[in-house]
Amino acid sequence: MQTTEPHIRVGAYALGVLGSADTFRFEEHLSDCPGCRLRAGEFAGVRAGLAVVGPPVAPGPALADRVAAAVAAARRRG
């Protein structure tokens, strides 16, 4: 992981979607980063809350193309 990367992985960690190696590295980072420990605690109920909402929905096959087109259009405007 890069120096700033662990900080952006707190949400993925809280949702349990990191691989085992990244989970291990992030947990090492947690031991030294009070900010990430705080954020991980704030995310603690998110995973359970999402389970109540319903099962995951698979995105349609054109989603990536629509997102890429929207990002490209926003960059052209900005």
PDB file of all heavy atoms in Angstrom, residues 1 3 5-8 12 14 18 21 26-27 29 32 39 44 51 53 56 61 64 66 68-70:
ATOM      1  N   MET A   1       0.830  -1.185   0.000  1.00  0.00           N
ATOM      2  CA  MET A   1       0.000   0.000   0.000  1.00  0.00           C
ATOM      3  C   MET A   1       0.871   1.243   0.000  1.00  0.00           C
ATOM      4  O   MET A   1       1.924   1.249   0.597  1.00  0.00           O
ATOM      5  CB  MET A   1      -0.873   0.027   1.258  1.00  0.00           C
ATOM      6  CG  MET A   1      -2.080  -0.852   1.178  1.00  0.00           C
ATOM      7  SD  MET A   1      -3.211  -0.551   2.536  1.00  0.00           S
ATOM      8  CE  MET A   1      -2.971  -2.042   3.463  1.00  0.00           C
ATOM      9  N   THR A   3       1.626   5.288   0.916  1.00  0.00           N
ATOM     10  CA  THR A   3       1.531   6.011   2.179  1.00  0.00           C
ATOM     11  C   THR A   3       0.125   6.533   2.452  1.00  0.00           C
ATOM     12  O   THR A   3      -0.404   6.369   3.529  1.00  0.00           O
ATOM     13  CB  THR A   3       2.521   7.191   2.195  1.00  0.00           C
ATOM     14  OG1 THR A   3       3.815   6.681   1.917  1.00  0.00           O
ATOM     15  CG2 THR A   3       2.516   7.880   3.529  1.00  0.00           C
ATOM     16  N   GLU A   5      -2.676   5.636   0.849  1.00  0.00           N
ATOM     17  CA  GLU A   5      -3.709   4.659   0.501  1.00  0.00           C
ATOM     18  C   GLU A   5      -4.435   4.060   1.698  1.00  0.00           C
ATOM     19  O   GLU A   5      -5.648   3.882   1.621  1.00  0.00           O
ATOM     20  CB  GLU A   5      -3.118   3.556  -0.373  1.00  0.00           C
ATOM     21  CG  GLU A   5      -4.169   2.635  -0.926  1.00  0.00           C
ATOM     22  CD  GLU A   5      -3.588   1.613  -1.876  1.00  0.00           C
ATOM     23  OE1 GLU A   5      -2.412   1.693  -2.240  1.00  0.00           O
ATOM     24  OE2 GLU A   5      -4.338   0.706  -2.235  1.00  0.00           O
ATOM     25  N   PRO A   6      -3.769   3.737   2.796  1.00  0.00           N
ATOM     26  CA  PRO A   6      -4.508   3.109   3.894  1.00  0.00           C
ATOM     27  C   PRO A   6      -5.695   3.942   4.370  1.00  0.00           C
ATOM     28  O   PRO A   6      -6.724   3.393   4.729  1.00  0.00           O
ATOM     29  CB  PRO A   6      -3.479   2.968   5.009  1.00  0.00           C
ATOM     30  CG  PRO A   6      -2.177   2.978   4.329  1.00  0.00           C
ATOM     31  CD  PRO A   6      -2.354   3.853   3.121  1.00  0.00           C
ATOM     32  N   HIS A   7      -5.555   5.248   4.329  1.00  0.00           N
ATOM     33  CA  HIS A   7      -6.621   6.108   4.824  1.00  0.00           C
ATOM     34  C   HIS A   7      -7.897   5.983   3.992  1.00  0.00           C
ATOM     35  O   HIS A   7      -8.993   6.105   4.530  1.00  0.00           O
ATOM     36  CB  HIS A   7      -6.170   7.565   4.870  1.00  0.00           C
ATOM     37  CG  HIS A   7      -4.935   7.771   5.682  1.00  0.00           C
ATOM     38  ND1 HIS A   7      -4.894   7.568   7.052  1.00  0.00           N
ATOM     39  CD2 HIS A   7      -3.690   8.144   5.321  1.00  0.00           C
ATOM     40  CE1 HIS A   7      -3.669   7.811   7.488  1.00  0.00           C
ATOM     41  NE2 HIS A   7      -2.928   8.157   6.461  1.00  0.00           N
ATOM     42  N   ILE A   8      -7.768   5.736   2.702  1.00  0.00           N
ATOM     43  CA  ILE A   8      -8.955   5.622   1.863  1.00  0.00           C
ATOM     44  C   ILE A   8      -9.534   4.211   1.880  1.00  0.00           C
ATOM     45  O   ILE A   8     -10.608   3.991   1.347  1.00  0.00           O
ATOM     46  CB  ILE A   8      -8.687   6.081   0.408  1.00  0.00           C
ATOM     47  CG1 ILE A   8      -7.673   5.184  -0.267  1.00  0.00           C
ATOM     48  CG2 ILE A   8      -8.273   7.531   0.383  1.00  0.00           C
ATOM     49  CD1 ILE A   8      -7.507   5.445  -1.753  1.00  0.00           C
ATOM     50  N   ALA A  12     -13.661   0.173   2.823  1.00  0.00           N
ATOM     51  CA  ALA A  12     -13.563  -1.188   2.305  1.00  0.00           C
ATOM     52  C   ALA A  12     -13.271  -2.177   3.433  1.00  0.00           C
ATOM     53  O   ALA A  12     -13.811  -3.281   3.471  1.00  0.00           O
ATOM     54  CB  ALA A  12     -12.488  -1.271   1.230  1.00  0.00           C
ATOM     55  N   ALA A  14     -14.127  -1.781   6.599  1.00  0.00           N
ATOM     56  CA  ALA A  14     -15.333  -1.903   7.420  1.00  0.00           C
ATOM     57  C   ALA A  14     -16.384  -2.775   6.756  1.00  0.00           C
ATOM     58  O   ALA A  14     -17.135  -3.482   7.434  1.00  0.00           O
ATOM     59  CB  ALA A  14     -15.915  -0.511   7.706  1.00  0.00           C
ATOM     60  N   LEU A  18     -11.878  -6.146   1.632  1.00  0.00           N
ATOM     61  CA  LEU A  18     -10.447  -6.223   1.345  1.00  0.00           C
ATOM     62  C   LEU A  18     -10.012  -7.681   1.336  1.00  0.00           C
ATOM     63  O   LEU A  18     -10.550  -8.509   2.069  1.00  0.00           O
ATOM     64  CB  LEU A  18      -9.637  -5.472   2.411  1.00  0.00           C
ATOM     65  CG  LEU A  18      -9.780  -3.965   2.468  1.00  0.00           C
ATOM     66  CD1 LEU A  18      -8.939  -3.408   3.615  1.00  0.00           C
ATOM     67  CD2 LEU A  18      -9.371  -3.325   1.159  1.00  0.00           C
ATOM     68  N   ALA A  21      -4.498 -10.158   2.484  1.00  0.00           N
ATOM     69  CA  ALA A  21      -3.229  -9.437   2.627  1.00  0.00           C
ATOM     70  C   ALA A  21      -3.484  -7.956   2.917  1.00  0.00           C
ATOM     71  O   ALA A  21      -2.836  -7.365   3.792  1.00  0.00           O
ATOM     72  CB  ALA A  21      -2.381  -9.593   1.370  1.00  0.00           C
ATOM     73  N   PHE A  26      -3.901  -3.302   6.532  1.00  0.00           N
ATOM     74  CA  PHE A  26      -4.719  -2.224   7.073  1.00  0.00           C
ATOM     75  C   PHE A  26      -4.821  -2.333   8.588  1.00  0.00           C
ATOM     76  O   PHE A  26      -4.789  -1.325   9.291  1.00  0.00           O
ATOM     77  CB  PHE A  26      -6.117  -2.206   6.437  1.00  0.00           C
ATOM     78  CG  PHE A  26      -6.902  -1.002   6.840  1.00  0.00           C
ATOM     79  CD1 PHE A  26      -6.665   0.213   6.242  1.00  0.00           C
ATOM     80  CD2 PHE A  26      -7.835  -1.069   7.851  1.00  0.00           C
ATOM     81  CE1 PHE A  26      -7.356   1.354   6.631  1.00  0.00           C
ATOM     82  CE2 PHE A  26      -8.536   0.055   8.259  1.00  0.00           C
ATOM     83  CZ  PHE A  26      -8.294   1.273   7.639  1.00  0.00           C
ATOM     84  N   GLU A  27      -4.922  -3.527   9.115  1.00  0.00           N
ATOM     85  CA  GLU A  27      -4.976  -3.691  10.567  1.00  0.00           C
ATOM     86  C   GLU A  27      -3.677  -3.247  11.218  1.00  0.00           C
ATOM     87  O   GLU A  27      -3.692  -2.705  12.329  1.00  0.00           O
ATOM     88  CB  GLU A  27      -5.349  -5.123  10.922  1.00  0.00           C
ATOM     89  CG  GLU A  27      -6.824  -5.386  10.631  1.00  0.00           C
ATOM     90  CD  GLU A  27      -7.245  -6.833  10.817  1.00  0.00           C
ATOM     91  OE1 GLU A  27      -6.367  -7.727  10.946  1.00  0.00           O
ATOM     92  OE2 GLU A  27      -8.468  -7.071  10.814  1.00  0.00           O
ATOM     93  N   HIS A  29      -1.895  -0.823  10.015  1.00  0.00           N
ATOM     94  CA  HIS A  29      -2.034   0.635   9.931  1.00  0.00           C
ATOM     95  C   HIS A  29      -2.952   1.144  11.046  1.00  0.00           C
ATOM     96  O   HIS A  29      -2.680   2.180  11.651  1.00  0.00           O
ATOM     97  CB  HIS A  29      -2.580   1.028   8.557  1.00  0.00           C
ATOM     98  CG  HIS A  29      -2.972   2.464   8.451  1.00  0.00           C
ATOM     99  ND1 HIS A  29      -2.047   3.478   8.343  1.00  0.00           N
ATOM    100  CD2 HIS A  29      -4.190   3.055   8.468  1.00  0.00           C
ATOM    101  CE1 HIS A  29      -2.684   4.637   8.286  1.00  0.00           C
ATOM    102  NE2 HIS A  29      -3.991   4.416   8.351  1.00  0.00           N
ATOM    103  N   ASP A  32      -1.560   2.227  14.391  1.00  0.00           N
ATOM    104  CA  ASP A  32      -0.807   3.479  14.482  1.00  0.00           C
ATOM    105  C   ASP A  32      -1.587   4.708  14.038  1.00  0.00           C
ATOM    106  O   ASP A  32      -1.033   5.804  14.014  1.00  0.00           O
ATOM    107  CB  ASP A  32       0.458   3.388  13.612  1.00  0.00           C
ATOM    108  CG  ASP A  32       1.442   2.367  14.137  1.00  0.00           C
ATOM    109  OD1 ASP A  32       1.509   2.189  15.367  1.00  0.00           O
ATOM    110  OD2 ASP A  32       2.136   1.736  13.315  1.00  0.00           O
ATOM    111  N   ARG A  39     -12.687   6.350  12.225  1.00  0.00           N
ATOM    112  CA  ARG A  39     -13.543   6.145  11.049  1.00  0.00           C
ATOM    113  C   ARG A  39     -14.029   4.703  10.961  1.00  0.00           C
ATOM    114  O   ARG A  39     -15.190   4.462  10.606  1.00  0.00           O
ATOM    115  CB  ARG A  39     -12.802   6.538   9.782  1.00  0.00           C
ATOM    116  CG  ARG A  39     -12.684   8.022   9.630  1.00  0.00           C
ATOM    117  CD  ARG A  39     -12.028   8.412   8.307  1.00  0.00           C
ATOM    118  NE  ARG A  39     -11.434   9.713   8.439  1.00  0.00           N
ATOM    119  CZ  ARG A  39     -10.176   9.944   8.780  1.00  0.00           C
ATOM    120  NH1 ARG A  39      -9.353   8.950   9.006  1.00  0.00           N
ATOM    121  NH2 ARG A  39      -9.721  11.172   8.900  1.00  0.00           N
ATOM    122  N   ALA A  44     -18.798   0.942  11.595  1.00  0.00           N
ATOM    123  CA  ALA A  44     -19.086  -0.388  12.151  1.00  0.00           C
ATOM    124  C   ALA A  44     -20.499  -0.884  11.851  1.00  0.00           C
ATOM    125  O   ALA A  44     -20.690  -2.056  11.547  1.00  0.00           O
ATOM    126  CB  ALA A  44     -18.840  -0.386  13.656  1.00  0.00           C
ATOM    127  N   ALA A  51     -27.128  -5.019   4.942  1.00  0.00           N
ATOM    128  CA  ALA A  51     -27.752  -6.338   4.852  1.00  0.00           C
ATOM    129  C   ALA A  51     -29.261  -6.242   5.016  1.00  0.00           C
ATOM    130  O   ALA A  51     -30.015  -7.020   4.433  1.00  0.00           O
ATOM    131  CB  ALA A  51     -27.149  -7.264   5.906  1.00  0.00           C
ATOM    132  N   VAL A  53     -31.098  -3.723   3.993  1.00  0.00           N
ATOM    133  CA  VAL A  53     -31.647  -3.085   2.803  1.00  0.00           C
ATOM    134  C   VAL A  53     -32.052  -4.123   1.765  1.00  0.00           C
ATOM    135  O   VAL A  53     -33.058  -3.984   1.102  1.00  0.00           O
ATOM    136  CB  VAL A  53     -30.630  -2.086   2.210  1.00  0.00           C
ATOM    137  CG1 VAL A  53     -31.114  -1.545   0.888  1.00  0.00           C
ATOM    138  CG2 VAL A  53     -30.373  -0.961   3.183  1.00  0.00           C
ATOM    139  N   PRO A  56     -27.331  -7.728  -2.623  1.00  0.00           N
ATOM    140  CA  PRO A  56     -26.624  -6.912  -3.615  1.00  0.00           C
ATOM    141  C   PRO A  56     -27.249  -7.097  -4.999  1.00  0.00           C
ATOM    142  O   PRO A  56     -27.775  -8.156  -5.318  1.00  0.00           O
ATOM    143  CB  PRO A  56     -25.194  -7.458  -3.603  1.00  0.00           C
ATOM    144  CG  PRO A  56     -25.118  -8.404  -2.480  1.00  0.00           C
ATOM    145  CD  PRO A  56     -26.489  -8.721  -2.016  1.00  0.00           C
ATOM    146  N   PRO A  61     -24.571  -4.612 -17.809  1.00  0.00           N
ATOM    147  CA  PRO A  61     -23.318  -4.683 -18.570  1.00  0.00           C
ATOM    148  C   PRO A  61     -22.837  -3.334 -19.097  1.00  0.00           C
ATOM    149  O   PRO A  61     -21.656  -3.158 -19.341  1.00  0.00           O
ATOM    150  CB  PRO A  61     -23.655  -5.634 -19.726  1.00  0.00           C
ATOM    151  CG  PRO A  61     -25.138  -5.626 -19.825  1.00  0.00           C
ATOM    152  CD  PRO A  61     -25.659  -5.326 -18.446  1.00  0.00           C
ATOM    153  N   ALA A  64     -20.357   0.415 -16.690  1.00  0.00           N
ATOM    154  CA  ALA A  64     -18.993   0.963 -16.769  1.00  0.00           C
ATOM    155  C   ALA A  64     -18.881   1.961 -17.917  1.00  0.00           C
ATOM    156  O   ALA A  64     -18.251   3.020 -17.771  1.00  0.00           O
ATOM    157  CB  ALA A  64     -17.976  -0.156 -16.926  1.00  0.00           C
ATOM    158  N   ARG A  66     -21.333   3.802 -19.198  1.00  0.00           N
ATOM    159  CA  ARG A  66     -22.084   5.008 -18.848  1.00  0.00           C
ATOM    160  C   ARG A  66     -21.310   5.862 -17.842  1.00  0.00           C
ATOM    161  O   ARG A  66     -21.273   7.086 -17.950  1.00  0.00           O
ATOM    162  CB  ARG A  66     -23.463   4.643 -18.285  1.00  0.00           C
ATOM    163  CG  ARG A  66     -24.414   4.089 -19.336  1.00  0.00           C
ATOM    164  CD  ARG A  66     -25.862   4.032 -18.870  1.00  0.00           C
ATOM    165  NE  ARG A  66     -26.083   3.541 -17.525  1.00  0.00           N
ATOM    166  CZ  ARG A  66     -26.343   2.281 -17.192  1.00  0.00           C
ATOM    167  NH1 ARG A  66     -26.396   1.348 -18.122  1.00  0.00           N
ATOM    168  NH2 ARG A  66     -26.557   1.954 -15.938  1.00  0.00           N
ATOM    169  N   ALA A  68     -17.987   5.911 -17.407  1.00  0.00           N
ATOM    170  CA  ALA A  68     -16.831   6.484 -18.098  1.00  0.00           C
ATOM    171  C   ALA A  68     -17.258   7.655 -18.978  1.00  0.00           C
ATOM    172  O   ALA A  68     -16.570   8.687 -19.028  1.00  0.00           O
ATOM    173  CB  ALA A  68     -16.136   5.411 -18.934  1.00  0.00           C
ATOM    174  N   ALA A  69     -18.392   7.534 -19.657  1.00  0.00           N
ATOM    175  CA  ALA A  69     -18.879   8.623 -20.510  1.00  0.00           C
ATOM    176  C   ALA A  69     -19.247   9.842 -19.666  1.00  0.00           C
ATOM    177  O   ALA A  69     -18.964  10.979 -20.050  1.00  0.00           O
ATOM    178  CB  ALA A  69     -20.075   8.145 -21.327  1.00  0.00           C
ATOM    179  N   ALA A  70     -19.871   9.619 -18.517  1.00  0.00           N
ATOM    180  CA  ALA A  70     -20.246  10.730 -17.642  1.00  0.00           C
ATOM    181  C   ALA A  70     -19.013  11.438 -17.100  1.00  0.00           C
ATOM    182  O   ALA A  70     -18.972  12.675 -17.028  1.00  0.00           O
ATOM    183  CB  ALA A  70     -21.124  10.229 -16.495  1.00  0.00           C
TER     184      ALA A  70
END
